[in-house]
Amino acid sequence: MRPFLTVMAGACLLGAGSMAIAADGDKLYVFNWTEYMDPEVVSDFEEAHDVEVVQNYFTSNAEMFSKLSAGGDAQYDVVVPTDYFVPRLIEAGLIQPLDPSLLQGREHLMEAFRHPSYDPEERYSVPYLWGVTGIVYNTETFPDPPTSWRLLFDPEANPDQPFALLGGDPQVALGMACAYQGTGFDCVGQQPWVEAASLVGETLDRPNFTGFVDSTAAVEQVARGVAQVAVTYSGDVDYRKAASPETYEHLEFFVPEEGSQLGVDTLVIPARAPHPELAHAFIDFLMRPENAARSANYAYYRTPNEAALERLPQALAESSRLEDGRRDRLVTTPLIEGEQLQLLQQLWSEVRSR
């Protein structure tokens, strides 16, 4: 059973690195989502390379982007952005091309994860883990809920029970509203975004709306009864239910029938990384099938590494293949830039300032 990681105010050290390593060897600085990297894998890398791995954590892609823009691209060696943020990082000059001579293992990736739209030449990123966005709810409060975004956006479906929305990037927040309104989670353009922003604004005015929270906090809020329904990522629910079945026994998760996000979290190297060669070695280490399997089994997210599947529990291996019935309802978040990105951010600012 994996212990929960504590998010500390400063940098957090994972693994079994000693003071001797810290004094005499290099350090590798990783900027990552919380509870997303197996400490034993990290410890094995530290031992193999005689280094210390230091991790800081972010709770949204927007937070990650802001940190890198403020000089973090010179502080971190490896960062874990979600797919649709990779082009934004490239455009901003915040990440560097990878050296293919220092990376082995792309041949282990499933075809669905090769040459993706966000990095078609595979120059800047390597897929790490993937998951889906959906709804977590209390089964005692909602014994038979509609498997729909209605549970959040329709006052008749949930007139009085407290609920929370996912904070962070507006494209995901408005994507949920777009899916509910029938224009798809991957909606793009002024009209669907304006309509989605109007719906979200009305939703924020409802008395049972409790606020915006990140994915891990959403699960905890539903478990504690602060909220009865919220938005989260699939692996965050599975992680906690496996770690403490009694605490989370009344929580369930579903992917709304109108469609939702398939998110691929990637490994990239910031433009001014202090230790780029060591960063390549770390990414290469994580790409090995045995370590890709350990990472997925630890985080309860799915691996894009086909060679790792035989090392996973059957249920996780099957869902990682993208062959289950939910695949038809999942879309990757579309890439937007320039004036479209400015419009999206303006609409979101107006929604949040209500």
Side-chain angles (χ1 to χ4, degrees):
M1 200 68 66
R2 301 171 301 156
F4 289 132
L5 302 180
T6 301
V7 183
M8 304 185 73
C12 298
L13 171 64
L14 289 184
S18 65
M19 292 304 293
I21 289 177
D24 300 330
D26 285 326
K27 292 184 180 181
L28 180 79
Y29 297 92
V30 178
F31 200 25
N32 194 9
W33 302 89
T34 60
E35 300 164 350
Y36 211 41
M37 201 163 282
D38 186 348
E40 292 184 3
V41 172
V42 173
S43 180
D44 288 348
F45 178 81
E46 290 178 319
E47 183 175 355
H49 291 268
D50 190 27
V51 297
E52 179 185 32
V53 176
V54 179
Q55 292 200 71
N56 281 134
Y57 302 102
F58 55 86
T59 60
S60 72
N61 283 289
E63 178 187 348
M64 173 273 301
F65 188 90
S66 295
K67 178 69 173 180
L68 294 188
S69 299
D73 67 314
Q75 298 174 9
Y76 298 109
D77 297 300
V78 177
V79 182
V80 193
T82 307
D83 47 24
Y84 65 106
F85 257 76
V86 172
R88 300 186 194 180
L89 293 168
I90 297 171
E91 178 68 20
L94 294 173
I95 58 177
Q96 62 179 267
L98 302 175
D99 184 344
S101 70
L102 299 178
L103 296 174
Q104 306 295 323
R106 281 198 192 268
E107 69 274 10
H108 296 313
L109 296 173
M110 285 178 261
E111 191 60 33
F113 297 95
R114 296 301 307 271
H115 305 287
S117 60
Y118 59 86
D119 188 11
E121 297 181 5
E122 301 181 320
R123 291 188 63 206
Y124 290 90
S125 66
V126 169
Y128 173 55
L129 293 171
W130 67 273
V132 296
T133 303
I135 290 178
V136 59
Y137 65 98
N138 186 327
T139 58
E140 292 185 321
T141 305
F142 297 101
D144 187 27
T147 55
S148 164
W149 292 113
R150 286 185 57 218
L151 201 55
L152 296 173
F153 296 118
D154 184 353
E156 293 186 4
N158 177 22
D160 51 19
Q161 294 297 334
F163 68 95
L165 294 179
L166 193 65
D169 187 68
Q171 198 170 357
V172 173
L174 295 186
M176 294 183 288
C178 281
Y180 171 67
Q181 292 174 319
T183 53
F185 192 95
D186 53 353
C187 64
V188 173
Q190 181 171 345
Q191 182 174 344
W193 283 345
V194 168
E195 293 175 354
S198 176
L199 173 61
V200 174
E202 294 171 3
T203 302
L204 304 191
D205 291 336
R206 287 164 51 191
N208 50 332
F209 171 67
T210 61
F212 290 96
V213 296
D214 63 64
S215 177
T216 54
V219 180
E220 295 302 325
Q221 286 195 4
V222 177
R224 298 197 313 267
V226 175
Q228 297 299 324
V229 58
V231 182
T232 190
Y233 305 129
S234 55
D236 290 344
V237 179
D238 295 340
Y239 179 103
R240 284 160 175 74
K241 288 177 72 82
S244 183
E246 293 184 0
T247 302
Y248 302 97
E249 64 178 333
H250 298 301
L251 271 63
E252 290 295 342
F253 174 89
F254 66 79
V255 177
E257 59 195 26
E258 300 94 343
S260 190
Q261 176 194 31
L262 186 159
V264 182
D265 291 319
T266 69
L267 301 166
V268 303
I269 299 177
R272 298 181 291 163
H275 311 100
E277 289 190 11
L278 189 59
H280 279 86
F282 187 64
I283 293 174
D284 183 82
F285 191 77
L286 293 176
M287 291 175 69
R288 297 177 187 177
E290 63 274 20
N291 293 330
R294 293 163 70 190
S295 297
N297 202 42
Y298 170 82
Y300 283 87
Y301 278 80
R302 298 158 187 178
T303 180
N305 192 314
E306 184 149 19
L309 299 183
E310 62 185 26
R311 297 172 169 86
L312 292 175
Q314 183 177 358
L316 184 55
E318 290 178 354
S319 63
S320 293
R321 289 185 183 277
L322 285 176
E323 292 177 350
D324 60 37
R326 290 180 298 179
R327 178 64 182 95
D328 294 337
R329 288 182 280 160
L330 299 177
V331 296
T332 55
T333 305
L335 313 177
I336 61 171
E337 57 188 359
E339 293 182 359
Q340 283 190 326
L341 182 58
Q342 293 177 9
L343 172 62
L344 178 73
Q345 292 171 336
Q346 177 184 346
L347 288 170
W348 190 240
S349 295
E350 292 173 359
V351 168
R352 295 295 298 266
S353 63
R354 288 169 60 105

